[in-house]
Amino acid sequence: MAQWTSAVGAAQLARLLNSQQDRPAGPGTRRPPAYRALADGIRLLVLEGRVPVAARLPAERELALSLSVSRTTVAAAYEALRAEGFLESRRGAGSWTAVPAGNPLPARGLEPLPPEALGSMIDLGCAALPAPEPWLTRAVQGALEELPPYAHTHGDYPAGLPALRAMIAERYTARGIPTMPEQIMVTTGAMGAIDAICHLFGGRGERIAVESPSYANILQLMREAGARLVPVAMAEGLTGWDIDRWRQVLRDAAPRIAYVVADFHNPTGALAGEDQRRQLVEAARSAGTVLVADETMTELWLDEDVSMPRPVCAFDPAGSTVVTVGSASKAFWAGMRIGWVRGAPDVIRSLVAARAYADLGTPVLEQLAVNWLFSTGGWEQAVELRRGQARENRDALVSALRKELPSWEFEVPQGGLTLWVRAGGLSGSRLAEVGERVGVRVPSGPRFGVDGAFEGYVRLPFTVGGVVADEAAARLAAAARVVESGASGGGDAPRTFVA
């Protein structure tokens, strides 16, 4: 019986391998043999999760034709991967990817680092900060005081607690977007909201237009739902969307859904302007596309001179085009898994009805905690504390990077939690791999793209500050030196410091 559970075609694998842009070799730098470079490329794709474990690889002859190399080169690369534990083969069944014993399985998204690893590893993988105390404790205490009446009920509220739905609707109304509680559904985080929207509107095989780059975990959620992702390149720097490209994609591809982050985009930090928002809503309406606006970063402006545009849904007064997603996870705490959807009443009713076959509802205690924050003013004070933490961390990280890695390029966003960095011509995938061994965990650019894009980038979140930011930059510089030297991915890279 074959041990593989999926297959990677020769053309697909060649495309992924060709996306791995190496830095040109400097004086005295020796390039590895062709078979070694091919083996390293496939190993990196497996470690990144872009080629799944237990995926059948193409036959040697097929891959050689797609890559325009000799069959001997492919055979030698496969043999090297088998010797290292990244490939298994059996006569008649082919060859399939594996990971050596003791290696963690690669994640396709951005999974949190296990707590036991935090002592030796600086985690720049997850864009999440510690809870803004004392507000978490106060919110939970307030929720416990409000809990007894709900404990006498069945506890299932598929649309969310009525009090929280009303409070969220009131907050939209205060922002100039008249909203009724019937237009709100409370979800288990923003991921739960977008998953429900994709299942309602998307369906397997449907096209979904996404910003390029976009948030890695959402991209993977859509892939696993069977969507066909259509990337739309962002405008240069922090200027937001390229509206001409969006018009073309919406007109030519006619996607069922378009997913965007208008406020401090993840990963670039861009803030879309009001005119861009208006034009994108108009283009989506004309194409019959449901525009999903992710507002999870909307309250995380970090500079005092930021002028926040109106929400995307402000340009859709009829409510026929825009579905908005919000969350407490970024602005407050990732452990507070409360999100919400704002949409037309018929959309909310459909989402609620479908929930009977999903998670039934969101935990009551957490909903009460968020409602306490909203109703007491604790939310505003907690978010202000969060902004201060993120601002200090951003400034410390920027300063450390400019000192340790002056050739790396980035623009400093005015809000959000992430820095999108061009890594001086180095491979982001190799930096991520070597970084793990020198004690800094960083996600590479291809996690945020479609089909291997952004190999030359890494995303750095504002999760560490002070001396830890200095140490993180020093470890990234150590990883960059290893990658720049052209050293093989095997063996131990030099370790620097212990956190």
Side-chain angles (χ1 to χ4, degrees):
M1 179 180 176
Q3 302 299 306
W4 48 273
T5 57
S6 62
V8 180
Q12 179 188 7
L13 184 56
R15 186 168 64 251
L16 290 170
L17 288 165
N18 288 333
S19 74
Q20 296 175 330
Q21 303 164 1
D22 284 333
R23 184 185 179 92
T29 301
R30 296 181 58 187
R31 287 192 175 277
Y35 85 89
R36 183 68 260 173
L38 176 56
D40 286 348
I42 294 173
R43 176 175 49 79
L44 276 169
L45 291 174
V46 173
L47 289 172
E48 273 282 293
R50 287 188 282 151
V51 169
V53 175
R56 188 179 187 273
L57 295 186
E60 294 169 2
R61 187 185 303 277
E62 294 175 9
L63 186 57
L65 286 172
S66 291
L67 292 173
S68 298
V69 299
S70 71
R71 182 177 177 180
T72 302
T73 296
V74 178
Y78 278 15
E79 182 57 38
L81 290 168
R82 276 190 287 269
E84 296 162 4
F86 285 94
L87 197 68
E88 296 181 9
S89 306
R90 194 169 70 235
R91 186 179 298 277
S95 300
W96 56 92
T97 56
V99 291
N103 275 46
L105 287 174
R108 300 296 297 275
L110 303 179
E111 78 289 358
L113 188 69
E116 61 270 16
L118 291 174
S120 59
M121 184 76 70
I122 297 176
D123 184 13
L124 297 181
C126 236
L129 289 162
E133 289 288 27
W135 298 106
L136 174 62
T137 298
R138 292 180 183 177
V140 173
Q141 290 171 342
L144 287 172
E145 293 175 2
E146 299 292 332
L147 183 61
Y150 294 93
H152 294 291
T153 73
H154 49 62
D156 286 334
Y157 296 88
L161 294 183
L164 181 56
R165 296 176 72 195
M167 183 61 67
I168 294 170
E170 183 180 314
R171 289 173 65 83
Y172 276 106
T173 300
R175 293 170 66 189
I177 317 296
T179 303
M180 304 178 294
E182 292 78 12
Q183 292 179 261
I184 302 295
M185 181 178 83
V186 181
T187 62
T188 306
M191 292 286 288
I194 293 168
D195 183 54
I197 293 167
C198 288
H199 280 88
L200 177 64
F201 291 108
R204 188 162 292 276
E206 290 280 4
R207 293 185 180 92
I208 300 180
V210 295
E211 297 152 324
S212 183
S214 187
Y215 179 38
N217 287 344
I218 294 296
L219 294 180
Q220 189 56 27
L221 181 154
M222 292 173 175
R223 290 188 189 102
E224 293 182 357
R228 297 161 61 190
L229 300 183
V230 183
V232 185
M234 296 286 289
E236 289 297 317
L238 299 176
T239 55
W241 301 318
D242 185 324
I243 294 298
D244 288 339
R245 288 179 180 174
W246 269 104
R247 286 198 186 101
Q248 181 180 353
V249 167
L250 293 173
R251 181 181 64 246
D252 296 346
R256 187 70 183 93
I257 301 172
Y259 169 76
V260 296
V261 184
D263 303 316
F264 310 119
H265 173 257
N266 186 354
T268 68
L271 178 65
E274 276 210 10
D275 197 46
Q276 290 177 318
R277 297 171 192 231
R278 180 185 296 106
Q279 292 183 62
L280 185 56
V281 171
E282 291 172 354
R285 184 183 297 116
S286 297
T289 297
V290 175
L291 184 60
V292 180
D294 186 335
E295 289 192 335
T296 54
M297 297 283 191
T298 192
E299 296 191 64
L300 289 177
W301 66 85
L302 305 183
D303 295 337
E304 295 299 329
D305 60 348
V306 177
S307 178
M308 291 299 296
R310 285 179 290 169
V312 175
C313 59
F315 305 99
D316 180 38
S320 60
T321 300
V322 178
V323 177
T324 303
V325 171
S327 173
S329 297
K330 294 297 186 184
F332 185 74
W333 184 48
M336 188 67 76
R337 304 304 304 163
I338 298 296
W340 51 87
V341 178
R342 181 198 181 274
D346 62 316
V347 169
I348 298 301
R349 285 194 296 269
S350 297
L351 289 170
V352 171
R355 202 167 192 182
Y357 310 102
D359 63 356
L360 293 178
T362 302
V364 169
L365 189 63
E366 283 87 340
Q367 292 188 70
L368 289 171
V370 172
N371 192 59
W372 183 92
L373 287 165
F374 285 159
S375 61
T376 62
W379 176 268
E380 285 71 23
Q381 295 183 67
V383 171
E384 184 59 37
L385 178 59
R386 169 67 79 238
R387 290 191 197 107
Q389 293 172 322
R391 185 184 305 113
E392 290 178 7
N393 289 353
R394 179 198 62 180
D395 295 347
L397 182 62
V398 165
S399 176
L401 288 173
R402 285 174 172 163
K403 175 185 176 184
E404 296 285 349
L405 293 154
S407 67
W408 286 22
E409 302 170 50
F410 53 85
E411 291 192 42
V412 182
Q414 292 185 293
L417 290 172
T418 57
L419 199 64
W420 186 236
V421 181
R422 190 193 299 269
L426 301 180
S427 160
S429 297
R430 286 174 168 81
L431 283 167
E433 182 197 9
V434 176
E436 292 269 357
R437 293 187 281 116
V438 300
V440 60
R441 182 171 178 265
V442 56
S444 66
R447 288 178 179 256
F448 303 88
V450 177
D451 286 337
F454 307 110
E455 181 60 55
Y457 288 79
V458 291
R459 188 198 74 171
L460 304 178
F462 311 144
T463 52
V464 297
V467 295
V468 182
D470 293 339
E471 178 64 16
R475 295 186 187 190
L476 283 172
R481 287 193 292 272
V482 173
V483 175
E484 192 168 24
S485 73
S488 169
D492 290 330
R495 290 186 176 272
T496 60
F497 315 102
V498 176

